[in-house]
Amino acid sequence: MKISIEQGNLKSVTAEAVIVNLFEGVTMPGGATGTIDGALEGAISARIAGGDFRGKLGELLTLYPRGAIPATRVIVVGLGPAADFGLEAVREAAGAAIKQARKLGAGSVATIIHGGGIGGLKVSDAAQATVEGSLLALYRYQRPGRHQESVNKVETLTLVEFAPNKIAEIQAGARAGEIIAESVAL
């Protein structure tokens, strides 16, 4: 899978799926999730208010923007309680969301860096954990000489960051995440 970093606004990114997140217990999304919610005229907030999404770790909500943003799908992943949040929660949330994207047939995925904003984690560590969790979740062992199963493939993962001053840290963290995931797979 090709990993790239893009500076910009997630709501203007063209992808088959965009991934945002939400802590458990949050009733009004903020940050990138709030921006996407606004572009979708409160669709995420409405699902929270209706009890359809609570933000539990790994919980998923898929929405279809119907042209409100360039992305075909929006996947909201739960981060669990803010008090228990850390790098392992980032890996788990990223993994759950990317598996959902694959299940839905999304070849191109854009995501925020889970925990790099309101989560309070060091941006490079959060980027590393986001990439690690995504790549490790998509890993499938193929025994040599066996028929390879046909599965949907996520071909590109773009990490999107609004603040230009964080891009260098994100690049370093993402590269470390790629190296670690490749090493684990080997």
Side-chain angles (χ1 to χ4, degrees):
M1 171 176 15
K2 181 182 179 223
I3 308 286
S4 62
I5 291 86
E6 184 176 312
Q7 190 273 321
N9 193 324
L10 192 63
K11 76 177 184 179
S12 59
V13 171
T14 301
E16 292 175 22
V18 295
I19 300 170
V20 293
N21 59 45
L22 197 70
F23 280 110
E24 189 171 343
V26 171
T27 56
M28 284 304 297
T33 307
T35 300
I36 296 293
D37 187 44
L40 300 180
E41 298 178 356
I44 298 171
S45 299
R47 299 294 293 270
I48 294 166
D52 297 330
F53 186 79
R54 291 177 176 73
K56 293 182 180 197
L57 182 58
E59 181 181 8
L60 299 165
L61 170 66
T62 303
L63 300 167
Y64 295 86
R66 304 172 126 201
I69 61 174
T72 309
R73 300 167 191 88
V74 174
I75 299 170
V76 185
V77 63
L79 298 177
D84 299 338
F85 186 69
L87 293 173
E88 192 53 39
V90 171
R91 288 182 196 92
E92 191 172 330
I98 201 82
K99 283 165 94 173
Q100 177 70 359
R102 179 179 64 192
K103 178 180 166 188
L104 296 170
S108 61
V109 177
T111 185
I112 59 173
I113 289 81
H114 306 296
I118 197 166
L121 300 176
K122 186 177 171 189
V123 175
S124 60
D125 292 344
Q128 178 180 331
T130 299
V131 170
E132 276 179 43
S134 298
L135 291 175
L136 292 174
L138 293 178
Y139 173 77
R140 294 177 60 95
Y141 174 72
Q142 298 290 331
R143 286 183 25 194
R146 290 289 200 161
H147 173 62
Q148 302 223 357
E149 289 182 42
S150 176
V151 294
N152 296 331
K153 290 192 178 191
V154 176
E155 296 171 5
T156 63
L157 176 64
T158 304
L159 305 178
V160 181
E161 173 57 48
F162 186 75
N165 61 326
K166 294 182 180 180
I167 297 298
E169 282 186 82
I170 292 168
Q171 288 171 330
R175 184 66 190 132
E178 275 186 280
I179 291 168
I180 290 168
E182 288 171 7
S183 299
V184 170
L186 181 63

